Amino acid sequence: MAKTALVTGAAAGIGKACAKRLASEGIAVGVLDIDSKGCQDVVDEIEAAGGKAMALEASIANRGQVTASATKLREKFGPITIVVNNAGISRVVPFKELTDEQWDEMMEINLKGTFIVTQVVLADMEAAKWGRIVNISSSSAQTGAVGMAHYSSSKGAIITLTRTLAQELGPLGITVNTIPPGTVMHTIMSEAQRQRDPERMNATIATIPVRRAGEPEDIANACAWLVSEDSSYVTGQTIGVNGGRVVS
């Protein structure tokens, strides 16, 4: 049966790679991001390769925008039974300098946004008695990260949310897992790190057991497995895609 997926933060980086990979598996994909041009560019690439996709401009922290986008996607391709919660923001701010506004912004987008998107599409999964939810967290949630207390905390909460939803939604035929990527190139975060401190970035890569940084496609490959039938007995898990840098 044809499936429809909603991928957030899909205009670039990991989200784009996930959207393209799922489309290559025959899944119709809603490419959601605040970057409308980036969304359309990804849709064009997917359609050029023979896939099905739809560009959706929305902020995941805005329930009205997410609901409207889900309605458009559902009307075009059918019930949404796969969601990849990838959208988020990252900032480097020393803890003692963090403001209430910076803390709240991080939680509003990274954590509440994941909550909103999941809740909006949940009814489709319940009706189908089948669903796949993949939450993209971060290895910094497992290790901590200097200057990123608000970011690491938001991503750690996503891991906990994943475990809770896996238990609550499992009886409904819905699996929920999280991927905490390690160092992944060609993302907004990694490019900012490389520009800010290239020596530190190279030193970090040198500590990775497989001796390379990840690519967005590495995350997309794991995501594709987690939304497939092959992973039907896997839920509530934290699937680290990090080259062995974090072992848990």
Side-chain angles (χ1 to χ4, degrees):
M1 186 175 91
K3 293 184 173 64
T4 300
L6 177 62
V7 182
T8 70
I14 291 171
K16 175 180 178 178
C18 288
K20 292 178 67 175
R21 177 58 196 274
L22 297 192
S24 74
E25 300 286 338
I27 299 168
V29 180
V31 179
L32 187 146
D33 203 292
I34 58 173
D35 177 2
S36 59
K37 182 182 183 304
C39 284
Q40 189 58 54
D41 289 345
V42 174
V43 169
D44 290 344
E45 289 184 38
I46 289 173
E47 291 181 338
K52 297 179 180 179
M54 180 180 192
L56 301 164
E57 180 183 359
S59 166
I60 60 170
N62 186 309
R63 183 178 290 271
Q65 291 181 12
V66 172
T67 299
S69 294
T71 298
K72 291 177 184 177
L73 181 61
R74 190 180 294 115
E75 288 175 347
K76 184 169 184 177
F77 292 126
I80 303 164
T81 55
I82 297 170
V83 63
V84 180
N85 285 305
N86 168 72
I89 60 172
S90 173
R91 306 272 192 272
V92 177
V93 183
F95 179 73
K96 65 181 181 180
E97 298 175 14
L98 262 179
T99 66
D100 289 354
E101 291 75 19
Q102 289 169 326
W103 180 273
D104 290 346
E105 178 192 34
M106 191 67 67
M107 297 301 167
E108 179 81 5
I109 295 174
N110 290 2
L111 181 56
K112 187 178 179 181
T114 298
F115 155 71
I116 288 173
V117 172
T118 303
Q119 201 172 61
V120 165
V121 302
L122 184 58
D124 284 359
M125 299 182 188
E126 287 184 290
K129 296 183 174 57
W130 190 97
R132 296 286 187 269
I133 300 169
V134 179
N135 297 322
I136 307 300
S137 50
S138 170
S139 61
S140 69
Q142 300 169 293
T143 63
V146 174
M148 303 184 79
H150 52 340
Y151 175 77
S152 298
S153 296
S154 71
K155 292 298 188 176
I158 287 173
I159 292 175
T160 302
L161 177 64
T162 296
R163 293 170 177 169
T164 301
L165 291 183
Q167 296 176 63
E168 188 169 334
L169 304 181
L172 304 176
I174 302 167
T175 66
V176 192
N177 294 285
T178 181
I179 300 173
T183 301
V184 178
M185 304 308 294
H186 306 112
T187 65
I188 294 173
M189 184 174 176
S190 67
E191 291 308 311
Q193 289 176 331
R194 180 176 287 279
Q195 291 178 16
R196 185 172 60 250
D197 193 343
E199 290 186 6
R200 183 176 179 182
M201 171 67 84
N202 291 334
T204 296
I205 294 172
T207 67
I208 299 173
V210 300
R211 294 298 187 268
R212 72 170 178 87
E215 295 291 338
E217 289 73 20
D218 292 314
I219 313 304
N221 291 339
C223 182
W225 178 69
L226 286 172
V227 306
S228 73
E229 293 292 353
D230 292 340
S231 68
S232 62
Y233 200 56
V234 178
T235 194
Q237 300 306 303
T238 302
I239 309 295
V241 183
N242 55 51
R245 187 162 184 259
V246 179
V247 180
S248 61

